Amino acid sequence: MAKILKKEILAPNIKKIIVEAPEVAKKAQPGQFVILRIDEKGERIPLTIGDFDREKGTLTIVFQEVGKSTYHLGLLNEGDEILDFVGPLGKPSEIEKFGTVCCIGGGVGTPEIYPVARALKEVGNYVISIIGARNKELVIMEKEMREVSDELYITTDDGTYGMKGFVTDALKKILDSGKKIDRVIAVGPVMMMKAVSELTKNYNIKTIVSLNAMMLDGTGMCGICRVEIGGETKFACVDGPEFDGHLVNYDLLMARLRTYLEEEKLSLKLFKEKMGIQ
Amino acid sequence: MAIIPKKTPMREQPPKERIKNFNEVPLGYTPEEAINEAKRCLQCKKPPCVKGCPVEIDIPGFIEKIREGNFKEAIRILKDKNSLPAICGRVCPQEDQCEKECVLGKKYEPVGIGRLERFAADWEAEQGIMEIPKIEKSTGKKVAVVGSGPAGLTCASELAKMGHEVVIFEALHKPGGVLVYGIPEFRLPKIIVEREVNYIKALGVKIICNFVVGKTKTVDELLEEFDAVFVGTGAGLPWFMNIPGENYTGIYSANEYLIRVNLMKAYLFPEYDTPIVRGKNVAVIGGGNVAMDAARTALRLGAEKSMIIYRRSKNEMPARIEEIERAEEEGVIFHFLTLPVRYYADENGKVKEMECIRMELGEPDHSGRRKPIPIPNSNFKIPVDTVVVAIGQSPNPLIPQTTKGIEVGKHGNIIIDEKTGKTTKKGVFAGGDIATGAATVILAMGAGKVAARAIDEYIKTGIW
């Protein structure tokens, strides 16, 4: 059981919860994830750790409501308990002094890149961050990201805030300005990570991405999270979730994420009907 | 009294009916049937059956009590040596153990020891009673058990009876390990696992779920709080064949397929949230018990065709004969001497066809079974929409990777001294599939028991 201590709405359908989980918080490191199950009939879903406070014994999780489980999670309130909450899982991000690093967060990838950017900054990197969203309303954690970045760029698809375009447009601009970047870390939608990796490949910059594969147990048992990295099969839960972006088979990842599209739609439809959500 | 050559038959759900539900297949003995079967036991003075039992149950003793109609005493004798009788009565390969040694079995069918064990355990549950054995005075010693599968549960219960404080750490959200995530409901109802887990709890064992040792805490950290650690984390890493197209959607590891159905109850989707692909043409790769479980599960999920694809012939299949027979009765189609070599997908990346090659048997290999050899140019295709890869698994690497001083063998198994379960790290014991590679429930239980005795001695004397 993990109690929700605080809940905040960051943007339409994007919510932040602070959860009491002292043992997970004690061990959590940037880049890792938890698996939770809301109730007895619930599914197990992986969610990246947004932040952690070892002293208070809390974890921050930011999530977007896309399917039944995340909508359900969004309906929980402060004081409610999540039935099962396990972690920290996966390998932590590589935190070293690389020189100049570019941290890219797209959508709910932003809260996930935040602790990574902070840790990279703490060990002495020059941190350039780019956060992207569809529109102004969906730009989240700007203040926090600014605090841990030497430079921060914001892009929106429709140009309602920051630069109009995608995170790759901002990244290309930075690269073409002649700035030397030693490493890129990108977290966000698969399409975004794919586009970032394609771009940085031309510039020969090591790029790390965090793969949001489906998971069940999260400890290497089931193999649903298998991804292809340089033609080799890896399990995102134990070998990742972070991998070399230039080696990822993104098309396979996207196809695998669509396995249960119909079931997910049905599940969400039934839940919305039951709860009276539009 | 004349010897009755055959076992008292057990009633079961007819194949046509049972493939439409997930309820248990064999229905158990009535008291009369159990007494009749118990009467077949010769009550040998030196019973060879006991030697065949990895947990040394007093088999003639409990059978005699059933014969007398004293079921309460029968279950007491069983539980003296075995904390999970309802489970063992169902999933032990008795034909290779106790029943293999039965004197009656030399000429006739052996005594149905497993069936009688199941009867006694189910009888106790029906009475709504749960007798707790004598628990020794508290020793003040603490033992951590990692994993709540058959090895961990047995080790924990033995240690608890000896008066030690025991905490089990389980990574999943429900205790039971393979008993809850792996073995299907129709072979081992989950309510039975729950009941036996409750019995272990009643012995004073504390079970903490959602705790991944190696991640949430390491073994070294546990050693700061506990006097000893037992590792029973099982064989958790599924093998794939590494053939082209194996990552297309619709291709599952047996672990994933069975976890979805058993642990997450995907067969009840959308009432339960976890979905599963309900394939029409299902191919299960492999010839073990897990493959049989997957093929029979596929039928219950509505498959029109559920096929076993096995590279050797029927004689070499590692599955229990009983499981193969049940699969055959239910209409599972067997493709022997067949090896998948490649998968083909539709435009969405979903598997639609499997290319196989025919095999023939050559000389015996290291396992003593005749080695399958591909026949050149014998390739052919089978249309499939779901594939379950059930070719085995390796020991879970999480603990060896995160613990200094635990040596592993070349297959990733933790190296132990078989007589004690001691690993190469002081204070750490191991047993079950993590040490042996994938084996059976009862062997894991036997290993848990052996380790419990050695742990008891170690924490009392401090001598490693």
Side-chain angles (χ1 to χ4, degrees):
Chain A
M1 291 278 223
K3 194 194 245 178
I4 298 175
L5 300 175
K6 210 164 174 292
K7 177 183 171 184
E8 213 179 303
I9 297 168
L10 300 185
N13 294 112
I14 299 179
K15 288 175 179 163
K16 170 172 139 178
I17 51 174
I18 295 179
V19 176
E20 186 177 38
E23 259 153 354
V24 186
K26 204 187 270 175
K27 283 297 175 71
Q29 290 182 64
Q32 290 186 298
F33 62 93
V34 295
I35 283 188
L36 60 82
R37 190 175 75 123
I38 299 169
D39 61 22
E40 201 44 53
K41 292 182 177 176
E43 58 182 339
R44 293 171 64 97
I45 55 166
L47 289 169
T48 306
I49 296 169
D51 202 0
F52 45 88
D53 187 326
R54 297 211 170 108
E55 272 166 36
K56 287 188 188 145
T58 60
L59 284 179
T60 303
I61 306 282
V62 178
F63 59 95
Q64 187 164 19
E65 293 162 335
V66 284
K68 184 201 161 168
S69 295
T70 41
Y71 266 95
H72 190 180
L73 191 60
L75 289 178
L76 300 186
N77 290 310
E78 290 172 8
D80 288 347
E81 287 189 324
I82 297 165
L83 181 62
D84 300 301
F85 194 89
V86 60
L89 300 170
K91 288 185 177 162
S93 302
E94 244 186 300
I95 304 295
E96 270 174 49
K97 190 169 174 185
F98 299 108
T100 301
V101 294
C102 182
C103 295
I104 305 174
V108 276
T110 305
E112 296 169 14
I113 198 85
Y114 166 69
V116 180
R118 184 178 61 192
L120 286 167
K121 174 86 182 142
E122 276 168 7
V123 298
N125 289 287
Y126 185 85
V127 177
I128 300 173
S129 297
I130 305 170
I131 59 180
R134 283 208 311 277
N135 57 47
K136 186 181 176 183
E137 222 181 4
L138 295 171
V139 174
I140 54 173
M141 297 192 63
E142 181 187 345
K143 184 175 150 278
E144 290 90 337
M145 284 302 287
R146 204 172 285 285
E147 281 167 10
V148 299
S149 310
D150 293 284
E151 293 174 37
L152 177 73
Y153 300 90
I154 296 168
T155 66
T156 50
D157 298 4
D158 64 356
T160 45
Y161 194 60
M163 178 183 159
K164 181 173 167 22
F166 301 118
V167 290
T168 39
D169 296 322
L171 177 61
K172 191 165 189 311
K173 222 170 150 183
I174 297 165
L175 291 169
D176 290 342
S177 74
K179 214 165 245 167
K180 186 179 166 288
I181 290 176
D182 299 292
R183 180 178 275 234
V184 171
I185 303 109
V187 187
V190 182
M191 280 307 290
M192 181 212 94
M193 295 191 287
K194 185 183 181 188
V196 168
S197 300
E198 277 166 4
L199 176 65
T200 57
K201 203 168 185 177
N202 298 331
Y203 292 81
N204 208 10
I205 303 169
K206 174 100 170 174
T207 300
I208 303 295
V209 293
S210 177
L211 304 185
N212 53 343
M214 282 189 284
M215 290 180 193
L216 265 179
D217 62 287
T219 60
M221 267 175 57
C222 80
I224 189 189
C225 66
R226 55 196 198 274
V227 290
E228 272 176 27
I229 310 296
E232 218 182 299
T233 298
K234 297 275 179 192
F235 288 1
C237 68
V238 286
D239 301 318
E242 294 187 356
F243 293 100
D244 184 332
H246 296 156
L247 300 178
V248 175
N249 182 344
Y250 292 100
D251 296 337
L252 178 79
L253 176 64
M254 277 186 275
R256 291 189 63 83
L257 285 169
R258 282 194 303 264
T259 307
Y260 293 108
L261 213 57
E262 291 308 312
E263 287 85 354
E264 283 162 8
K265 273 189 208 156
L266 172 68
S267 202
L268 180 61
K269 182 176 155 270
L270 295 173
F271 183 70
K272 283 186 164 178
E273 279 168 11
K274 188 176 148 203
M275 305 308 290
I277 306 170
Q278 287 304 305
Chain B
M1 198 180 70
I3 285 170
I4 300 162
K6 287 195 178 247
K7 285 181 188 175
T8 311
M10 188 182 277
R11 290 156 300 124
E12 56 179 42
Q13 280 201 78
K16 277 196 178 135
E17 232 167 77
R18 71 194 191 218
I19 58 167
K20 293 182 204 138
N21 66 56
F22 275 83
N23 300 336
E24 195 174 11
V25 172
L27 301 171
Y29 277 158
T30 62
E32 294 72 38
E33 287 165 340
I35 291 169
N36 283 338
E37 184 59 21
K39 282 180 185 161
R40 294 182 67 231
C41 177
L42 301 174
Q43 292 292 320
C44 305
K45 286 278 168 287
K46 283 184 183 163
C49 52
V50 178
K51 285 197 205 96
C53 175
V55 296
E56 305 150 348
I57 292 170
D58 174 8
I59 294 167
F62 95 83
I63 292 181
E64 175 65 6
K65 292 299 163 191
I66 291 183
R67 196 188 59 79
E68 288 170 9
N70 187 351
F71 306 141
K72 198 173 170 179
E73 187 54 18
I75 187 68
R76 196 201 58 73
I77 294 173
L78 274 164
K79 281 191 167 174
D80 188 41
K81 291 285 166 71
N82 180 359
S83 297
L84 311 170
I87 293 170
C88 289
R90 287 170 165 86
V91 302
C92 268
Q94 290 98 6
E95 66 278 12
D96 289 329
Q97 296 173 343
C98 50
E99 293 183 18
K100 189 183 181 181
E101 307 294 332
C102 177
V103 172
L104 206 57
K106 292 204 164 61
K107 235 175 140 180
Y108 311 104
E109 277 189 7
V111 175
I113 300 170
R115 294 175 177 192
L116 291 172
E117 181 179 28
R118 168 187 166 151
F119 166 77
D122 288 359
W123 176 86
E124 188 193 34
E126 270 168 37
Q127 311 308 305
I129 50 172
M130 190 199 282
E131 202 143 321
I132 305 299
K134 186 172 162 261
I135 290 171
E136 299 294 327
K137 200 168 103 252
S138 168
T139 61
K141 299 285 180 188
K142 286 176 78 177
V143 182
V145 170
V146 187
S148 64
L153 288 175
T154 304
C155 185
S157 66
E158 294 297 316
L159 289 165
K161 284 192 267 182
M162 294 168 184
H164 305 303
E165 188 183 334
V166 186
V167 181
I168 299 182
F169 295 94
E170 166 57 46
L172 290 171
H173 57 262
K174 259 202 186 83
V178 71
L179 306 170
V180 294
Y181 76 72
I183 303 177
E185 180 76 18
F186 55 81
R187 210 147 71 75
L188 179 62
K190 298 310 145 215
I191 183 117
I192 286 164
V193 181
E194 207 176 306
R195 203 164 70 209
E196 306 226 312
V197 166
N198 283 338
Y199 168 71
I200 308 263
K201 284 184 187 164
L203 298 175
V205 173
K206 189 177 171 192
I207 303 181
I208 300 179
C209 287
N210 296 318
F211 196 106
V212 185
V213 174
K215 288 284 177 189
T216 317
K217 259 187 192 164
T218 61
V219 168
D220 288 296
E221 285 169 299
L222 291 178
L223 281 172
E224 290 167 18
E225 282 174 64
F226 294 89
D227 298 291
V229 175
F230 174 78
V231 180
T233 46
L237 221 62
W239 287 341
F240 287 93
M241 292 175 63
N242 294 318
I243 57 175
E246 210 173 16
N247 291 330
Y248 288 137
T249 65
I251 304 180
Y252 293 85
S253 74
N255 267 355
E256 184 195 346
Y257 196 68
L258 294 173
I259 288 174
R260 281 184 186 273
V261 176
N262 301 328
L263 179 70
M264 306 309 296
K265 301 206 184 303
Y267 63 95
L268 298 174
F269 177 86
E271 188 199 341
Y272 281 72
D273 290 346
T274 306
I276 190 156
V277 171
R278 290 176 176 257
K280 292 286 166 225
N281 289 306
V282 182
V284 178
I285 320 298
N289 288 325
V290 173
M292 300 306 127
D293 285 347
R296 297 173 65 196
T297 296
L299 287 175
R300 285 159 175 79
L301 289 171
E304 283 161 13
K305 250 192 196 170
S306 175
M307 299 168 274
I308 288 278
I309 313 290
Y310 182 53
R311 63 190 176 129
R312 303 182 200 239
S313 74
K314 190 173 177 180
N315 293 333
E316 289 83 25
M317 277 183 123
R320 288 180 72 187
I321 293 161
E322 186 186 315
E323 300 305 324
I324 299 170
E325 282 172 0
R326 289 198 199 279
E328 280 172 340
E329 283 167 18
E330 291 175 6
V332 171
I333 302 158
F334 289 78
H335 291 274
F336 294 115
L337 294 165
T338 304
L339 182 78
V341 291
R342 169 189 282 273
Y343 298 101
Y344 297 92
D346 64 14
E347 64 283 2
N348 295 318
K350 189 174 182 328
V351 66
K352 61 166 190 183
E353 217 170 28
M354 179 171 79
E355 185 179 321
C356 296
I357 189 163
R358 301 228 186 261
M359 312 290 277
E360 60 188 350
L361 294 177
E363 294 299 307
D365 64 9
H366 65 276
S367 72
R369 296 178 298 177
R370 292 178 64 193
K371 190 183 159 87
I373 303 162
I375 303 172
N377 304 317
S378 65
N379 298 39
F380 65 104
K381 287 177 179 172
I382 303 175
V384 290
D385 54 15
T386 304
V387 175
V388 182
V389 183
I391 57 167
Q393 42 203 334
S394 33
N396 195 309
L398 202 52
I399 288 192
Q401 274 170 9
T402 54
T403 315
K404 274 189 218 117
I406 290 187
E407 272 177 41
V408 294
K410 67 170 182 231
H411 299 293
N413 52 305
I414 294 183
I415 294 171
I416 57 165
D417 169 26
E418 269 179 42
K419 289 194 189 76
T420 59
K422 281 180 185 171
T423 68
T424 50
K425 187 180 176 75
K426 191 181 175 196
V428 182
F429 299 74
D433 285 4
I434 185 69
T436 56
T440 61
V441 168
I442 189 72
L443 286 177
M445 291 178 58
K449 198 162 188 163
V450 165
R453 272 181 215 148
I455 291 170
D456 178 61
E457 198 185 310
Y458 166 68
I459 55 184
K460 277 180 179 158
T461 63
I463 301 167
W464 183 248

